[in-house]
């Protein structure tokens, strides 16, 4: 993995992004994440690398047989900007360590609201899912109403701040589920795979599925190519 992966930022949704802040092992250590996993497994008998072929074979064996503790030796730290509708689901994964931007300290900006590209219809078979989209005219009409709602909420928020209302109370005027927040998050590779398995699934809500897909494609795969290959083979395709 090249040093350039640290600091890489990928755009997600209309105003969101995800950035890799750090990882363990760090690229400067010259030990790849995959090798760190293999070395952790071999510590049981004080061994280390035995060449790419044997190392990769061992890593595949570990994941295939759910020997997962060596995968906890690799960690990713991200900065993520996402709307609250995404974070509402993300925090259900308690294996992530998180620290969030606070609206008590930092005032929100007029553009800090999520605007979907299209309005999804309610699924007929799944009470918590969506399927299909509204047609173009209905879609445009709802988007216009949403933007008007954002404008009015932000106007009232700004008015309250101007009157000297505390930031922690003025934010009551903001449309809650759409507000973008920036978080710092950290997780090990084992629990990240569990997150990706659930949140890249077709029945996951779109607003978190796109973040999971971005992590998988732009960070997980290039940082841990052997692990990512085994993950697809033994975890995703096995379901």
């Amino acid at each position: 993995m090249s040093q350039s992966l640290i600091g890489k930022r990928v755009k997600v949704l209309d105003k969101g992004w995800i950035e890799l802040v750090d990882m363990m092992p760090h690229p400067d250590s010259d030990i790849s994440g995959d090798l760190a996993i293999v070395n952790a497994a071999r510590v049981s008998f004080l061994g280390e690398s035995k060449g790419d072929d044997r190392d990769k074979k061992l890593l595949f064996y570990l994941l295939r047989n759910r020997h997962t503790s060596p995968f906890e030796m690799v960690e990713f730290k991200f900065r993520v900007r996402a709307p609250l509708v995404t974070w509402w689901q993300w925090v259900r994964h308690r294996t992530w360590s998180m620290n969030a931007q606070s609206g008590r300290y930092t005032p929100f900006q007029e553009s800090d609201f999520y605007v979907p590209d299209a309005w999804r219809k309610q699924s007929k078979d799944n009470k918590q899912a969506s399927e299909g989209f509204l047609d173009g005219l209905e879609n445009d009409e709802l988007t216009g109403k949403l933007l008007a709602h954002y404008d009015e909420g932000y106007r009232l928020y700004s008015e309250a701040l101007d009157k000297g209302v505390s930031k922690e109370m003025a934010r009551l005027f903001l449309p809650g589920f759409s507000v973008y927040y920036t978080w710092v998050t950290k997780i090990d590779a084992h629990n990240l795979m569990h997150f990706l398995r659930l949140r890249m699934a077709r029945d996951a809500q779109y607003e978190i599925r796109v973040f999971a897909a971005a992590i998988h494609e732009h960070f997980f795969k290039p940082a841990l190519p052997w692990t990512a290959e085994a993950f697809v083979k033994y975890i995703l395709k096995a379901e």
Side-chain angles (χ1 to χ4, degrees):
M1 182 189 69
S2 67
Q3 172 67 39
S4 62
L5 199 58
I6 302 292
K8 179 179 179 179
R9 179 180 290 189
V10 176
K11 186 178 183 297
V12 188
L13 292 179
D14 60 333
K15 304 178 185 76
W17 43 260
I18 182 162
E19 175 186 344
L20 184 64
V21 176
D22 202 357
M23 71 172 295
M24 184 182 78
H26 193 276
D28 286 348
S29 69
D30 294 326
I31 298 176
S32 71
D34 287 326
L35 183 56
I37 293 165
V38 170
N39 287 349
R42 287 204 174 107
V43 77
S44 300
F45 47 92
L46 302 180
E48 291 191 351
S49 175
K50 297 184 181 297
D52 285 355
D53 290 342
R54 294 177 67 181
D55 289 348
K56 184 176 182 180
K57 183 177 180 180
L58 173 58
L59 187 146
F60 272 51
Y61 172 86
L62 294 171
L63 199 58
R64 182 173 68 249
N65 291 280
R66 302 300 192 269
H67 297 306
T68 56
S69 58
F71 295 91
E72 296 174 14
M73 299 300 108
V74 173
E75 293 186 340
F76 295 83
K77 182 191 288 186
F78 298 102
R79 287 182 73 236
V80 184
R81 182 165 172 78
L84 188 60
V85 70
T86 298
W87 291 118
W88 194 251
Q89 298 176 69
W90 204 314
V91 296
R92 300 300 300 164
H93 298 267
R94 299 187 180 105
T95 51
W96 286 81
S97 298
M98 298 180 169
N99 201 50
Q101 166 195 347
S102 174
R104 298 180 66 196
Y105 299 101
T106 305
F108 292 96
Q109 303 300 311
E110 191 170 3
S111 61
D112 285 346
F113 303 100
Y114 168 50
V115 181
D117 290 334
W119 292 86
R120 303 185 298 275
K121 295 181 178 179
Q122 175 63 42
S123 170
K124 297 178 181 178
D125 302 321
N126 188 334
K127 292 182 180 180
Q128 65 175 10
S130 58
E131 59 181 16
F133 300 92
L134 296 180
D135 64 33
L137 291 177
E138 289 180 309
N139 187 82
D140 293 345
E141 180 182 1
L142 282 178
T143 298
K145 290 181 177 180
L146 182 67
L147 291 172
H149 176 55
Y150 290 169
D151 288 343
E152 178 63 8
Y154 191 79
R155 184 188 70 77
L156 293 171
Y157 169 73
S158 299
E159 181 181 309
L161 290 177
D162 291 342
K163 291 180 182 296
V165 173
S166 64
K167 290 189 285 291
E168 67 182 5
M169 291 198 70
R171 59 186 173 170
L172 293 173
F173 286 108
L174 298 175
F177 276 93
S178 63
V179 176
Y180 268 93
Y181 284 86
T182 301
W183 296 51
V184 175
T185 65
K186 181 171 71 71
I187 195 167
D188 65 68
H190 167 217
N191 286 296
L192 178 58
M193 285 187 281
H194 178 68
F195 173 84
L196 294 176
R197 179 180 68 83
L198 294 176
R199 295 306 183 175
M200 290 198 305
R202 293 182 62 185
D203 59 351
Q205 184 172 326
Y206 173 79
E207 282 79 10
I208 195 169
R209 192 168 72 241
V210 289
F211 279 92
I215 291 172
H216 179 253
E217 184 65 28
H218 297 284
F219 302 105
F220 183 68
K221 286 171 64 176
L224 300 173
W226 294 351
T227 303
E229 184 181 345
F231 171 68
V232 171
K233 183 175 183 177
Y234 299 124
I235 306 296
L236 294 186
K237 290 187 176 179
E239 296 186 343

